[in-house]
Amino acid sequence: MSKKKKCLIIGSGPAGYTAAIYASRANLKPVLYEGMQPGGQLTTTTDVENFPGYPEGTTGNKLMNDLRKQAKKFGAEIRYGMVTAVDLSKSPYKITIEGNEVVQTETLIIATGATAKYLGLPEEQRYLGQGVSACATCDGFFYREKIVAVVGGGDSACEEALYLSGLAAKVYIIVRKDHLRASKIMQTRVLSKANVSVLFEHETVRLTGDKGVEGVDLIKRRGKADETNVSIPIDGFFLAIGHTPNSTLFSQWLETDEVGYIKTVPGTPRTNIPGVFVAGDVADPHYKQAITAAGSGCQAAIEAERYLLTVND
Ligand code: NDP
């Protein structure tokens, strides 16, 4: 078994890298495991214009590379590898990498993010960043005065549609049922927007377009006597059918809500296990922004430092 670490971070999005910057500057000599998608969800978007400090905008990849470089500059050790198991029964916590190597750590920062759900259409991957997005706040700006569709009927879909209604010329919400699942207040808001139309009982079957998204094919009232094929020209297709927090590895040990988001002591990144902290989307069903994830990574690292001071007193 390798030497015990003071601080181990799992995840390489803005939360993980920011935690690594702060932890390395506090001399915790953090080790960060990047996982399968170094850079996290942001590497699947193109331009990023809402991260403070980049008045000209940047790209998701560049932003993540910059954060990574900054963490390395202060001595964070960044390792590639998937964490395949954790044992949080007692400190030091045992983290298994790729099923064989076990690393022990006094503090753990979980920044494994969340994965947006997709419908599973082949075109979603083909047009990713070229008309397909799972984040209106990130990409909505590119659809000013254009026509967009949001798929989903929950609060996220309504929130995305409301945001887009302030930018796009027209917003369709594609809902598979005959009603919205979203809270009443969100429904009222969305239905009162003149440029938003809700297409109830519509299922997405295909995205069309040569270089990027140019249209969507839908089936209205599938399986009913009046089933109809509907095609709408659109420039952007936004997924809002939920996110899956990447918390499965930890759910045996940490309290999660019914969706799987890791629960924290309110207003802090502390979990129900001392020395184990969370940052970013794995614990955030509400904001899901790069900047909020980065902020919570900073909080988690500061908490880890303070925790180590108290236990090693
Ligand atoms: P939800 O699970 O609440 O809603 C997902 C929506 O996507 C449902 O309408 C569902 O349809 C639809 N959907 C799922 N799979 C498919 C599919 N394959 N094809 C078509 N439609 C599909 O997720 P949200 O992300 O909206 O919300 C998650 C949680 O976060 C909720 O508790 C929500 O209240 C909360 N939230 C709160 C916000 C706020 O308070 N401002 C903002 C955003 C989220 P169906 O209804 O048919 O199952």
Side-chain angles (χ1 to χ4, degrees):
M1 204 175 292
S2 62
K3 202 173 141 234
K4 186 171 76 179
K5 305 292 174 196
K6 280 189 190 166
C7 178
L8 188 143
I9 300 164
I10 311 174
S12 57
Y17 287 144
T18 305
I21 293 168
Y22 274 77
S24 50
R25 286 172 59 83
N27 206 24
L28 304 190
K29 302 188 168 49
V31 174
L32 179 150
Y33 281 91
E34 286 190 319
M36 259 203 321
Q37 190 186 15
Q41 287 185 77
L42 263 194
T43 56
T44 65
T45 67
T46 48
D47 298 310
V48 177
E49 296 181 334
N50 56 4
F51 200 90
Y54 292 87
E56 307 306 325
T58 182
T59 66
N61 278 315
K62 167 102 172 66
L63 179 59
M64 289 304 106
N65 277 334
D66 285 349
L67 287 175
R68 187 177 194 276
K69 252 193 244 166
Q70 200 172 343
K72 283 183 79 143
K73 175 178 160 186
F74 296 112
E77 188 184 334
I78 297 181
R79 298 180 181 173
Y80 177 78
M82 284 296 288
V83 172
T84 48
V86 298
D87 177 354
L88 306 183
S89 55
K90 59 177 191 307
S91 176
Y93 305 115
K94 296 186 188 69
I95 313 300
T96 307
I97 317 299
E98 307 285 359
N100 49 48
E101 187 195 357
V102 176
V103 182
Q104 298 191 72
T105 184
E106 285 184 79
T107 66
L108 175 65
I109 297 177
I110 299 165
T112 44
T115 307
K117 290 185 192 163
Y118 284 80
L119 294 171
L121 304 173
E123 306 87 46
E124 286 172 315
Q125 293 311 316
R126 196 182 315 147
Y127 298 139
L128 205 56
Q130 291 178 300
V132 171
S133 168
C135 177
T137 326
C138 317
D139 298 325
F141 193 67
F142 306 110
Y143 297 91
R144 274 169 300 166
E145 300 307 323
K146 298 202 168 165
I147 303 172
V148 296
V150 178
V151 63
D155 280 319
S156 293
C158 289
E159 205 169 61
E160 302 279 85
L162 279 174
Y163 181 79
L164 290 165
S165 72
L167 298 163
K170 176 80 194 169
V171 182
Y172 293 101
I173 307 182
I174 302 166
V175 183
R176 64 182 175 183
K177 289 199 175 133
D178 64 356
H179 60 273
L180 290 165
R181 183 199 285 204
S183 53
K184 279 280 171 274
I185 187 162
M186 293 301 276
Q187 294 192 28
T188 310
R189 280 186 197 155
V190 106
L191 295 170
S192 70
K193 289 282 173 193
N195 63 343
V196 176
S197 296
V198 185
L199 305 175
F200 289 110
E201 295 184 87
H202 281 68
E203 248 179 66
T204 309
V205 287
R206 193 177 307 105
L207 297 171
T208 55
D210 288 336
K211 294 207 179 95
V213 172
E214 289 170 17
V216 58
D217 293 343
L218 308 162
I219 295 180
K220 183 179 179 186
R221 290 175 57 78
R222 187 199 279 269
K224 306 270 167 53
D226 56 351
E227 176 180 307
T228 327
N229 293 323
V230 178
S231 295
I232 319 173
I234 55 167
D235 304 293
F237 184 78
F238 287 82
L239 278 308
I241 59 171
H243 279 77
T244 309
N246 301 323
S247 62
T248 314
L249 270 181
F250 315 100
S251 53
Q252 181 191 348
W253 312 99
L254 299 178
E255 288 173 16
T256 59
D257 71 8
E258 62 287 356
V259 180
Y261 289 98
I262 296 175
K263 283 190 180 174
T264 57
V265 176
T268 78
R270 289 178 225 141
T271 67
N272 55 300
I273 299 185
V276 178
F277 307 98
V278 283
D281 288 10
V282 71
D284 175 11
H286 298 295
Y287 304 109
K288 304 173 189 150
Q289 298 301 301
I291 188 64
T292 50
S296 67
C298 154
Q299 290 175 319
I302 291 174
E303 287 279 346
E305 183 196 358
R306 290 183 183 163
Y307 168 84
L308 287 169
L309 283 176
T310 55
V311 293
N312 295 329
D313 245 359

